[in-house]
């Protein structure tokens, strides 16, 4: 993984922490919650920048108690003030070995209002979602989730099928959002599904006593024509079979395209024609 | 102080002895086939992981044990039940699939030096999950019970079908494609036409999906055609008439499939599926609230690819 700057360096250093933590991964997951990791994360991930707790601008929906710690649905809802747009959203699962679950970069004209994904939750934890607006200001919201073991939970239910389907993608065009003002191109909703084990590197092979190496989707771009709609810088906290559902303002181009790269440097691409929706 | 110390020690010994040697109560469901029905509860220190059906088959020369319970204590209890019936050696310990409530008791049989038998994919499944199962169940079972558990990998693997003979008693073993898990194995006793279905069949206890919902439905069709007169389900009564015993599960899985497809079709989310799918079945099943939402979540992430 190349270290770039700022946030990416933070991601890389957090990943380095993961490697050392991972060797005692199970034990650490069991240790009682001690001090709140959030203040430290604000420094590491956001350079200690001030952030406003603003649930009008950003909201986070997460289950209080997760059914399956390896697949915990989360929804981020965005309503920037008039004249402002959201540039970036960072999802942080405070107690996870790799707390930065994803960094979402929002396309300039995409007007993304909602992003849903599924994450692994390793211990009872606060989850923070931080939106960066185009004026550089940071706005934050939080939720508490009870779940444990998600990062070391075994991966796939059918290992052979997972291997056979690695990188396969599906793009669901879910139609238009209701109650749209008549004078604008209506907001639409879509969902990208991808087959990938997104191995955390924290699952141990019981027989060899070696850790199953990490292999996860690192970078994913969803585009319409040449315009980026959404870019995801992902980590091990994204569940197996990465899944992103989002609302957006469509452009004019006739094709959706997804490009993804994983930590083995395997590249996956796919394209789909833009479907005309009914009413 | 001395006067109170001695009885306390004796009490501890009595408790330890009875905990260690508590023989499982078994029912002879057919000639030479004994089954202990586990409780319909989550794993706990109190129930010692005795939450799945386990049993054994007595041949002329040897015994086959089918699943060993959720702790070595339960496994020892099963072995004690075997010994209350016969002195014949336990030649086979057959695990129907990877789940802790079916395999954690294996270590109790080590001294018998049995062949440990399982689906060809069971070793890989245990390799991937063993550490997680031990960690996840440490809190539920408690340190004492979990400390004894060993993840024992089968030495005899079944791919397709295989028979074993206990001395005038042939058991047909069959490895199935992904259904409840990706390593489900059934055992059919020819002599009495009894089918040990493992967790391919749930009765009373809500079915749990940890493999493939669609795969399980395909497997059930073939399973129903097996000419057994009775089934030993993985969870449920010690025995039930076959093939009627599978109907309730078929209804539940079909309901789940239908509800989830409806939710997907109208653009609903995985969270909605966890809350809503299968709810009409709630009164039919025990532990519904504990497991249905999770099965619905797993099934949703499978069906959204359709």
């Amino acid at each position: 993984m190349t270290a770039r700057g700022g946030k990416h360096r933070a991601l890389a250093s957090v990943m380095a922490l993961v490697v050392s933590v991972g060797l005692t991964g199970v034990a650490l997951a069991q240790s009682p919650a001690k001090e709140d990791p959030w203040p430290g994360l604000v420094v590491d991930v956001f350079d200690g920048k001030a952030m406003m707790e603003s649930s009008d601008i950003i909201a986070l929906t997460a289950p209080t108690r997760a059914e399956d710690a390896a697949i915990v649905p989360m929804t981020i809802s965005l309503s920037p003030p008039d004249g402002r747009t959201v540039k970036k959203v960072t999802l942080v699962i405070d107690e996870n070995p790799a707390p930065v679950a994803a960094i979402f970069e929002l396309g300039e004209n995409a007007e993304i209002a909602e992003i849903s994904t599924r994450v692994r939750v390793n211990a009872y934890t606060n989850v923070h979602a931080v939106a960066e607006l185009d004026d550089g200001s940071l706005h934050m919201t939080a939720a508490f989730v009870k779940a444990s073991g998600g990062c070391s939970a075994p991966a796939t239910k059918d290992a052979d099928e997972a291997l056979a389907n690695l990188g396969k993608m599906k793009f669901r065009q879910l139609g238009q959002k209701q109650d749209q003002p008549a004078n604008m191109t209506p907001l639409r909703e879509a969902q990208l599904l991808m087959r990938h084990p997104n191995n955390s590197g924290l699952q141990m092979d019981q027989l060899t006593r070696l850790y199953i190496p990490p292999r996860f989707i690192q970078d994913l771009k969803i585009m319409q024509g040449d315009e980026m709609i959404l870019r995801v810088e992902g980590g091990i906290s994204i569940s197996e079979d990465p899944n992103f559902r989002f609302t957006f303002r469509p452009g004019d181009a006739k094709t959706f395209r997804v490009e993804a790269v994983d930590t083995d440097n395997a590249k996956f691409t796919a394209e789909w024609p833009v479907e005309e929706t009914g009413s | 102080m001395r006067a109170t110390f001695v009885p306390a020690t004796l009490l501890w010994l009595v408790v330890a002895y009875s905990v260690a040697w508590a023989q499982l109560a078994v029912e002879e469901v057919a000639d030479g086939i004994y089954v202990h029905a586990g409780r319909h509860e989550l794993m706990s220190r109190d129930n010692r992981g005795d939450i799945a059906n386990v049993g054994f088959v007595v041949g002329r020369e040897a015994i086959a044990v089918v699943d060993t319970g959720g702790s070595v204590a339960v496994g020892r209890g099963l072995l004690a039940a075997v010994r209350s019936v016969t002195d014949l050696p336990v030649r086979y310990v057959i695990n129907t699939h990877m789940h802790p409530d079916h395999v954690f008791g294996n270590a109790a049989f080590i001294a018998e030096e049995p062949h440990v038998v399982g689906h060809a994919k069971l070793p890989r499944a245990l390799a991937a999950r063993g550490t997680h199962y031990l960690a996840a169940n440490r809190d539920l079972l408690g340190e004492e019970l979990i400390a004894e558990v060993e993840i024992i990998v089968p030495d005899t693997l079944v791919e397709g079908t295989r028979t074993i003979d206990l001395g005038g008693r042939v058991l047909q073993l069959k490895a199935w494609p992904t259904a409840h898990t990706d390593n489900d194995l059934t055992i059919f006793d020819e002599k009495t036409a009894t089918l040990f279905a493992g967790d391919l069949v749930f009765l009373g206890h809500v079915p749990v999906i940890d493999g493939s919902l669609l795969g399980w439905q395909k497997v059930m069709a073939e399973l129903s055609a097996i000419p057994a007169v009775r089934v030993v389900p993985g969870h449920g009564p010690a025995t039930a008439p076959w093939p009627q015993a599978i109907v309730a599960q078929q209804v539940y899985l079909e309901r789940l499939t239908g509800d989830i497809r409806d939710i997907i079709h109208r653009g609903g989310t995985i969270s909605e599926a966890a809350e809503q799918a299968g709810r009409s079945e709630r009164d039919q099943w025990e532990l519904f609230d504990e497991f249905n939402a999770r099965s619905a979540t797993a099934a949703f992430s499978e069906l959204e690819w359709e």
Side-chain angles (χ1 to χ4, degrees):
Chain A
M1 183 183 305
T2 58
R4 305 214 279 282
K7 324 291 180 275
H8 309 292
R9 213 179 37 214
L11 195 58
S13 67
V14 168
M15 283 310 299
L17 180 66
V18 169
V19 172
S20 54
V21 160
L23 296 173
T24 54
V26 171
L28 221 62
Q30 300 293 324
S31 62
K34 357 94 200 139
E35 49 175 272
D36 182 7
W38 180 239
L41 289 166
V42 172
V43 172
D44 289 338
V45 180
F46 302 97
D47 292 332
K49 199 163 165 186
M51 52 179 80
M52 313 219 289
E53 196 154 346
S54 343
S55 50
D56 340 316
I57 296 180
I58 180 167
L60 178 64
T61 313
T64 347
R65 179 177 289 280
E67 295 301 332
D68 183 342
I71 312 176
V72 183
M74 301 228 159
T75 300
I76 297 160
S77 313
L78 301 164
S79 4
D82 280 340
R84 294 256 149 265
T85 56
V86 179
K87 272 180 50 182
K88 184 167 14 184
V89 179
T90 306
L91 183 65
V92 182
I93 306 173
D94 296 15
E95 299 282 353
N96 271 13
V100 180
I103 299 174
F104 299 100
E105 231 179 273
L106 279 51
E108 228 177 285
N109 302 312
E111 293 182 54
I112 293 185
E114 203 170 89
I115 304 172
S116 297
T117 187
R118 298 158 196 176
V119 297
R120 298 182 165 119
V121 177
N122 209 48
Y124 285 24
T125 184
N126 283 319
V127 181
H128 287 90
V130 180
E132 181 183 320
L133 301 187
D134 55 326
D135 65 4
S137 62
L138 296 183
H139 302 264
M140 175 271 280
T141 187
F144 187 74
V145 177
K146 292 182 193 170
S148 64
C151 293
S152 59
T156 183
K157 304 200 181 306
D158 187 332
D160 294 325
E161 210 223 39
L163 205 61
N165 289 312
L166 184 79
K168 188 160 134 190
M169 286 191 252
K170 180 170 170 169
F171 195 74
R172 299 177 64 211
Q173 299 181 40
L174 297 163
Q176 291 171 358
K177 299 304 286 173
Q178 301 306 303
D179 307 323
Q180 297 285 299
N183 57 334
M184 301 190 70
T185 322
L187 282 178
R188 291 170 63 164
E189 192 172 14
Q191 184 175 24
L192 173 70
L193 294 73
M194 190 173 171
R195 292 262 200 228
H196 196 286
N198 238 46
N199 277 330
S200 65
L202 298 175
Q203 292 151 220
M204 185 199 274
D205 178 318
Q206 174 72 24
L207 303 183
T208 63
R209 311 299 294 177
L210 296 172
Y211 281 88
I212 296 161
R215 180 179 181 178
F216 55 93
I217 296 294
Q218 212 171 349
D219 187 51
L220 185 143
K221 285 192 283 240
I222 304 171
M223 295 173 291
Q224 184 176 5
D226 291 325
E227 281 246 20
M228 194 184 73
I229 301 175
L230 180 65
R231 183 175 192 165
V232 187
E233 197 179 313
I236 63 166
S237 295
I238 297 289
S239 301
E240 177 187 5
D241 292 349
N243 192 306
F244 303 100
R245 180 172 169 148
F246 52 95
T247 61
F248 65 107
R249 182 86 58 197
D252 297 321
K254 297 297 173 207
T255 319
F256 290 114
R257 181 181 170 82
V258 172
E259 292 173 4
V261 185
D262 74 12
T263 48
D264 278 10
N265 222 34
K267 294 177 172 52
F268 311 103
T269 61
E271 268 182 23
W272 304 267
V274 175
E275 286 162 21
E276 293 315 309
T277 57
S279 52
Chain B
M1 190 167 35
R2 203 179 145 76
T4 53
F5 181 71
V6 171
T9 315
L10 280 177
L11 186 62
W12 189 91
L13 283 172
V14 167
V15 169
Y17 183 89
S18 58
V19 164
W21 293 104
Q23 179 181 313
L24 289 191
V26 290
E27 186 186 322
E28 192 176 6
V29 304
D31 182 16
I33 303 202
Y34 298 80
V35 177
H36 168 82
R39 297 159 175 280
H40 290 176
E41 293 172 5
L42 302 178
M43 298 273 262
S44 77
R45 186 178 317 211
D46 285 343
N47 63 35
R48 306 177 313 159
D50 178 14
I51 62 170
N53 292 353
V54 298
F56 57 95
V57 183
V58 181
R60 209 176 42 234
E61 294 158 18
I63 310 290
V65 163
V66 179
D67 287 338
T68 59
S71 66
V72 181
V74 172
R76 280 195 291 264
L78 181 61
L79 181 54
V82 172
R83 289 289 159 252
S84 74
V85 164
T86 172
D87 288 331
L88 291 172
V90 176
R91 193 187 291 159
Y92 300 98
V93 168
I94 307 170
N95 289 135
T96 59
H97 65 292
M98 66 191 179
H99 284 149
D101 49 334
H102 298 258
V103 305
F104 267 14
N106 282 7
F109 293 87
I110 288 176
E112 297 281 316
E113 296 183 335
H115 290 292
V116 180
V117 188
H119 191 294
K121 294 185 183 180
L122 182 57
R124 180 179 64 185
L126 292 173
R129 289 168 180 77
T131 309
H132 171 74
Y133 284 157
L134 292 170
N137 285 291
R138 173 168 279 107
D139 289 335
L140 297 173
L141 288 175
E143 202 52 57
E144 264 172 64
L145 287 172
I146 206 77
E148 291 186 293
V149 176
E150 292 172 49
I151 304 294
I152 294 176
V153 180
D155 56 270
T156 305
L157 302 182
V158 182
E159 203 173 336
T161 60
R162 187 173 179 138
T163 58
I164 59 182
D165 190 343
L166 303 176
R169 187 146 209 169
V170 173
L171 299 179
Q172 291 177 23
L173 277 51
K174 186 171 164 78
W176 296 85
T178 304
H180 169 65
T181 66
D182 75 349
N183 51 87
D184 299 314
L185 186 76
T186 58
I187 300 98
F188 179 71
D189 171 55
E190 284 181 359
K191 179 176 175 183
T192 59
T194 302
L195 176 69
F196 283 86
D199 281 8
L200 286 177
V201 177
F202 281 76
L203 251 188
H205 182 306
V206 71
V208 175
I209 301 170
D210 195 17
S212 163
L213 171 56
L214 297 176
W216 199 350
Q217 289 173 309
K218 279 207 277 269
V219 162
M220 278 196 297
E222 211 184 313
L223 208 57
S224 317
I226 292 175
V229 304
R230 73 183 63 76
V231 68
V232 178
H235 299 265
T239 188
W242 187 255
Q244 303 92 293
I246 207 174
V247 173
Q249 177 176 285
Q250 277 172 323
V251 169
Y252 171 75
L253 294 177
E254 268 162 32
R255 166 60 52 206
L256 208 57
T257 306
D259 286 356
I260 291 172
R261 280 184 177 144
D262 286 344
I263 293 170
I264 289 172
H265 186 74
R266 65 166 166 77
T269 66
I270 193 169
S271 308
E272 284 165 36
E275 275 164 39
Q276 299 164 17
R279 284 216 79 79
S280 59
E281 284 282 302
R282 187 162 179 260
D283 293 337
Q284 308 302 317
W285 300 98
E286 289 173 83
L287 299 181
F288 183 93
D289 289 345
E290 284 77 355
F291 287 110
N292 180 73
R294 189 179 170 140
S295 289
T297 300
F300 188 96
S301 60
E302 179 184 345
L303 293 174
E304 65 183 345
W305 282 90
E306 285 187 314

